[in-house]
Amino acid sequence: MPDMASPADRLAPYRERRALLSARYPSWIAKTMDAHLADVAARHPTRPLILTDDVTLSYADVVERSERIAKGLRRLGVRAGDRVALVLANVSEFAPLAFAIWRLGAAAIPVNYLFRAKEIAYVIGQSDCRLVVTMSSFRGLDYLAALDEIVPGWQCGDFSPFANLSAVAVLDEARTGVLTLGDIETRGAADSTPLPASGASPTMPPSSCTRPVRPGCPRA
């Protein structure tokens, strides 16, 4: 079948692309992932970065969304050096969320979405996570049921036996009252306190947030 792509759509030859990269980046410059995203978004704001059947996000879209999420995570108490576990498949939310975590100087801990309850528990405990962000279900796996098994009081703000865990967020409100990624982003959008400059070492005041009490949960 003939190549129907226009000349503008075809990639330049490898050596030409290599030369262009060498000219643009003649020497190694230490840069954080969020700073690199900001630089590319400044040059190509409207170029698509994420393409799915349902969603297209440009570089600028991802920067804007990641900043809202970062502010929301900061309000939850996520700080530089913290770990955030991500029980996510290849979903459009992954990139903005990961860049938001990196923007705060925290570490994103991808968790194999095929893991069962005991395996998820091992990752949360071994990495000493501050926050878990998870799908509610995927391909027959029920992650909320897994959380019920390993963290029975998670919807009530009791995250024992994980001493450092302080919140769980779900992509969608599959259960009434659960904290969602949308909630985090909405809270971040309402936060007028600027984030540190991309690439800077985040210095943030101690968190004043308290664990939310969910409907139907006893108050301490």
Side-chain angles (χ1 to χ4, degrees), residues 6-64:
S6 69
D9 293 331
R10 298 192 189 108
L11 282 174
Y14 166 77
R15 293 185 185 278
E16 183 178 333
R17 285 181 282 132
R18 185 72 181 179
L20 288 171
L21 283 172
S22 296
R24 177 171 290 174
Y25 306 106
S27 59
W28 173 258
I29 300 174
K31 187 182 295 185
T32 60
M33 293 292 288
D34 60 286
H36 185 66
L37 173 67
D39 288 348
V40 176
R43 293 196 304 270
H44 311 293
T46 61
R47 284 189 182 178
L49 174 56
I50 297 174
L51 294 166
T52 74
D53 291 340
D54 303 315
V55 176
T56 298
L57 296 177
S58 68
Y59 280 89
D61 292 334
V62 174
V63 169
E64 292 169 6

Side-chain angles (χ1 to χ4, degrees), residues 86-89 109-116 119-120 123 135 141 143:
L86 307 178
V87 189
L88 302 175
I109 310 296
V111 180
N112 189 328
Y113 58 80
L114 296 179
F115 278 179
R116 289 352 191 228
E119 296 163 316
I120 293 173
V123 176
M135 303 178 289
L141 294 176
Y143 304 106

Side-chain angles (χ1 to χ4, degrees), residues 73 78-84 98-109 130 202 204:
L73 292 176
V78 176
R79 297 292 183 262
D82 283 341
R83 275 77 63 194
V84 179
F99 280 110
I101 294 165
W102 296 329
R103 181 68 184 274
L104 296 176
I109 310 296
R130 172 74 65 188
M204 301 174 225

